[in-house]
Amino acid sequence: MTDLTTPQQLIARSNRLGSDPKNTNYAGGNTSAKGTETDPVTGRPVELLWVKGSGGDLGTLKESGLAVLRLDRMRALVDVYPGIEREDEMVAAFDYCLHGKGGAAPSIDTAMHGLVDAAHVDHLHPDSGIAVATAADGEALTSKIFGDKVVWVPWRRPGFQLGLDIAAIKERNPQAVGCILGGHGITAWGDTSEEAEQHSLWIIDTAAEYIAANSKAEPFGPALEGYAPLPADERRAKAAALAGTIRGIASKDALAAGRGMVGHFTDSDVVLDFLAAAEHPRLAALGTSCPDHFLRTKVKPLVLDLPASASVEESVARLKELHEEYRADYQGYYDRNATPDSPAIRGADPLIVLVPGVGMFSFGKDKQTARVAGEFYVNAINVMRGAEGLSTYAPIDEAEKFRIEYWALEEAKLQRMPKPKPLAGRVALVTGAAGGIGKATAKKLAGEGAVVVVADLSLEKAQAAAAEIGGADVALGVAADVSDEAAVQAAIDACVLAFGGVDLVVNNAGLSLSKSLLDTTGEDFDLQHRVMAKGSFLVSKAAAKVMIDQEMGGDIIYISSKNSVFAGPNNIAYSATKANQAHQVRLLAAELGAHGVKVNGVNPDGVVQGSGIFASGWGANRAAVYGVEEKDLGKFYAQRTILKKEVLPEHIANAVFVLCGPEMTHTTGLHVPVDAGVAAAFLR
């Protein structure tokens, strides 16, 4: 360790601490180190502070994520500090303390790290530490658990004053290795990086061991009759059935701004056990306490107050009633605490929805945010368990929560976020997406901000395509035989459980045979219709049910064909099926428009590159029909077009994006030719 530079030691320590969820939540907490380097301007030694910058994650922190400040200037800020009423001004002052290019933007906790007289400082949000911090008698518990080695710090909003408070406490308590921050978390320090890490882990583990040894048997109260978890298959089926309604509830305000929320479902034992216990309604209503928690989860969740045995229909009706109550309650919370200078209300919909016997739905602007919100509420449940087990859970009051949630500094951070991509907040499902047009379309939609379910007959190929598009927070590969109604429903269920719902479907799965009328068998004809005509129908039907439940509109797009309108030889089964698909577009556009769902089609032609259909024999047959070499088929198709251009999978994907993007909000029932111009296939 001694061979590492000071920032390298800090990164190594941060990664170790941040990689273990018992130590801190994702992107929560911060670490720092002080050391000396040579000032390149003066050539003289200069004391520096390296500290995790705003928004970084300890587990994945790199040197580029550190803010670097001159310690002398940082500490000189004490002399110009205007007092607690104006402490937010000190954040801007940090910019005048930066060394060189300064690295990442300094966070609100920078003062804590710079002012505490220790070479290495850790500020973390462990469940065990926050459990003590949120106990009604947290101060007494701190003394009882840690003796004089850990000091209690009453709740104070993060900022310059908290840094001064902790610095003073350390100075008055030279024997202490850290402190419990009331309602918030822990801070520890050390003369070396190893010592700071050891002190942090000692506080975390000591608190956890004390809770385990001294907690009451049922911290959440006795079991609540009828609220036990449903069997796994049953609860996931119910979750899938409720998902559309719940996503619509979480997206009401977001939809007014032009996009929905992405969801995440969790049915972990932590969540199910909490919802099965008698005290869960009281504790959920108290809300979370740690600022990192409620900034991600809102101050409290929406909790369905029905037993696990309640039907889907009963649950939907009650969820809608509770949503109106939740919105009114949140508006009241805002009205009670807002001042003339407060930012406008950001939305009154829940980010966490708890369903007894089933699990937790969490939401965010993207999958990662939704997943992390769920993780944070699991942290909050763990905190409640620990606090209730030792004492009584007593989070910070709502006025303090509001001061955090609607803090001008938080608002400024939100305003600095990049503009969302056109399809941000949308959930897409593309069939036949392991290659060719489907894969290109899935890539395009993900690139424009959507999360994507890649559905294909081959699970292995679907998962490989999804992995190529992005990680689990971007794309999911599922197996789907679109001619099988149960398999289609399973794919839709997987989609809504992974991402909360579905609002963009691309019916692309297909295959083809090139035979004359006399050579085409009844099975040939039926196979084409089962996969493309029936398959599109089944996928559209299952997806439309979710879209209608969501009340968010949506898009269904059919990848049809030039052959839906063009008559050619040796193509009876394929072309008749494509004509069926083309008319489904018109029929569904007329039926689903009342629900805000647009239905459109794309008519490609001659897409040879990357095509599974052409590679499976269709290309050879078509080449034989036209009297050209198979390798030249793409060029042949290009030469027969008006534009003399070859059509590629990406061109079809572009058309799909246009149809479902922000510029075509008033178009439904349309077929867009993407064939480089085939006069015989002009739509009339």
Side-chain angles (χ1 to χ4, degrees):
M1 183 71 75
T2 54
D3 293 333
L4 299 178
T5 65
T6 299
Q8 287 172 339
Q9 292 180 50
L10 174 59
I11 294 298
R13 179 174 100 239
S14 302
N15 292 165
R16 286 192 298 271
L17 290 170
S19 63
D20 190 339
K22 81 178 175 73
N23 297 331
T24 200
N25 46 262
Y26 173 81
N30 29 69
T31 52
S32 69
K34 303 179 182 75
T36 302
E37 284 198 352
T38 300
D39 188 326
V41 175
T42 66
R44 292 191 291 270
V46 58
E47 286 188 283
L48 300 177
L49 169 71
W50 292 268
V51 59
K52 191 200 85 169
S54 179
D57 173 55
L58 289 176
T60 56
L61 186 66
K62 297 178 172 57
E63 282 199 43
S64 59
L66 297 175
V68 188
L69 299 91
R70 286 187 50 145
L71 202 52
D72 57 344
R73 296 181 67 81
M74 170 79 228
R75 289 174 171 165
L77 292 178
V78 174
D79 298 329
V80 296
Y81 176 48
I84 192 168
E85 296 301 320
R86 293 170 54 194
E87 69 170 337
D88 288 358
E89 298 173 19
M90 303 307 289
V91 175
F94 295 153
D95 291 343
Y96 295 92
C97 304
L98 297 175
H99 177 69
K101 294 183 179 180
S107 78
I108 190 65
D109 289 315
T110 299
M112 177 195 307
H113 292 273
L115 300 179
V116 170
D117 186 19
H120 300 267
V121 178
D122 298 331
H123 169 57
L124 304 170
H125 301 150
D127 294 347
S128 61
I130 304 174
V132 177
T134 57
D137 53 349
E139 184 172 6
L141 280 171
T142 299
S143 178
K144 187 174 184 179
I145 296 169
F146 304 105
D148 64 356
K149 293 186 69 176
V150 177
V151 183
W152 172 264
V153 180
W155 161 260
R156 186 183 292 283
R157 190 174 68 168
F160 202 84
Q161 187 61 53
L162 181 60
L164 288 171
D165 292 349
I166 296 174
I169 283 172
K170 183 186 182 303
E171 185 177 0
R172 291 197 303 268
N173 296 273
Q175 80 291 345
V177 300
C179 55
I180 296 288
L181 308 181
H184 186 169
I186 73 166
T187 296
W189 47 77
D191 292 333
T192 66
S193 187
E194 295 93 333
E195 188 176 67
E197 184 175 357
Q198 290 168 4
H199 290 164
S200 293
L201 294 175
W202 178 78
I203 294 172
I204 294 165
D205 294 340
T206 300
E209 290 164 6
Y210 185 89
I211 292 169
N214 294 277
S215 177
K216 64 182 72 166
E218 295 181 324
F220 294 146
L224 193 56
E225 186 176 354
Y227 283 69
L230 295 171
D233 290 346
E234 189 177 339
R235 70 172 176 260
R236 293 184 75 80
K238 187 174 181 180
L242 293 174
T245 296
I246 293 175
R247 182 172 181 235
I249 284 171
S251 298
K252 184 172 182 177
D253 287 320
L255 196 62
R259 52 186 37 87
M261 300 291 273
V262 178
H264 178 75
F265 174 70
T266 305
D267 60 349
S268 65
D269 290 345
V270 172
V271 173
L272 294 172
D273 291 348
F274 175 65
L275 293 174
E279 294 299 319
H280 84 262
R282 173 182 66 85
L283 293 169
L286 288 173
T288 54
S289 185
C290 177
D292 263 14
H293 292 180
F294 62 76
L295 283 173
R296 301 272 190 160
T297 67
K298 266 200 165 76
V299 289
K300 61 183 176 181
L302 186 157
V303 185
L304 179 62
D305 54 0
L306 294 178
S309 59
S311 69
V312 169
E313 293 74 20
E314 291 171 327
S315 300
V316 166
R318 184 59 180 146
L319 281 165
K320 290 182 177 180
E321 293 173 350
L322 289 169
H323 182 214
E324 293 307 312
E325 294 175 14
Y326 186 98
R327 288 177 62 83
D329 181 72
Y330 189 86
Q331 184 68 57
Y333 155 77
Y334 180 87
D335 292 342
R336 285 191 300 275
N337 295 286
T339 68
D341 297 330
S342 296
I345 190 169
R346 297 194 193 103
D349 300 319
L351 295 178
I352 303 291
V353 178
L354 302 174
V355 181
V358 175
M360 171 176 62
F361 297 82
S362 54
F363 295 90
K365 63 183 177 64
D366 52 34
K367 172 65 176 183
Q368 183 194 53
T369 307
R371 174 177 53 78
V372 170
E375 292 172 0
F376 277 34
Y377 200 77
V378 168
N379 291 134
I381 292 173
N382 291 333
V383 166
M384 294 177 202
R385 180 190 295 107
E388 286 284 309
L390 298 180
S391 174
T392 301
Y393 175 62
I396 61 175
D397 65 35
E398 74 162 35
E400 287 299 308
K401 291 178 183 180
F402 185 88
R403 290 182 69 224
I404 295 284
E405 186 177 2
Y406 285 92
W407 200 353
L409 296 177
E410 283 294 329
E411 180 69 13
K413 187 187 299 185
L414 292 173
Q415 295 301 322
R416 289 195 301 268
M417 295 181 71
K419 182 181 178 181
K421 293 182 177 181
L423 299 183
R426 302 200 71 187
V427 180
L429 181 143
V430 184
T431 65
I437 291 172
K439 185 176 179 181
T441 300
K443 282 185 172 180
K444 177 66 175 179
L445 298 178
E448 298 292 345
V451 291
V452 181
V453 173
V454 175
D456 200 85
L457 193 60
S458 166
L459 176 61
E460 182 180 358
K461 291 179 180 178
Q463 291 176 332
E468 185 178 331
I469 292 168
D473 287 339
V474 176
L476 170 71
V478 301
D481 176 355
V482 296
S483 68
D484 182 323
E485 189 164 8
V488 168
Q489 189 60 56
I492 294 293
D493 288 352
C495 179
V496 301
L497 292 178
F499 298 123
V502 62
D503 40 27
L504 201 173
V505 167
V506 182
N507 281 311
N508 173 71
L511 74 166
S512 187
L513 297 170
S514 178
K515 292 184 179 181
S516 69
L517 171 63
L518 297 184
D519 289 334
T520 301
T521 67
E523 176 54 27
D524 291 338
F525 194 86
D526 288 344
L527 177 62
Q528 298 282 291
H529 280 72
R530 281 199 304 271
V531 173
M532 291 181 284
K534 181 185 177 184
S536 296
F537 155 73
L538 291 176
V539 172
S540 297
K541 179 182 177 182
K545 172 65 168 66
V546 179
M547 293 179 187
I548 291 169
D549 288 346
Q550 291 174 159
E551 299 181 359
M552 297 167 58
D555 284 278
I556 299 175
I557 296 176
Y558 281 64
I559 305 301
S560 185
S561 170
K562 170 212 72 176
N563 289 310
S564 66
V565 294
F566 172 79
N570 302 323
N571 209 7
I572 178 65
Y574 179 80
S575 293
T577 306
K578 286 299 180 181
N580 183 308
Q581 285 186 306
H583 200 48
Q584 284 188 39
V585 168
R586 293 184 279 268
L587 293 167
L588 296 186
E591 181 171 343
L592 297 177
H595 303 286
V597 177
K598 301 188 285 105
V599 187
N600 293 292
V602 178
N603 289 352
D605 183 47
V607 185
V608 178
Q609 288 191 28
S611 170
I613 288 178
F614 277 92
S616 63
W618 171 262
N621 288 329
R622 290 286 90 191
V625 167
Y626 296 121
V628 299
E629 294 290 328
E630 185 178 358
K631 64 181 178 62
D632 297 325
L633 189 59
K635 295 177 181 177
F636 169 80
Y637 281 138
Q639 289 308 306
R640 74 180 188 180
T641 69
I642 295 171
L643 298 177
K644 302 293 188 288
K645 293 182 177 180
E646 184 174 356
V647 181
L648 303 177
E650 290 72 21
H651 300 139
I652 315 305
N654 291 340
V656 171
F657 168 62
V658 169
L659 286 170
C660 65
E663 307 303 328
M664 295 282 277
T665 59
H666 289 57
T667 299
T668 192
L670 175 69
H671 285 277
V672 177
V674 184
D675 55 14
V678 178
F682 283 175
L683 295 172
R684 295 173 176 84

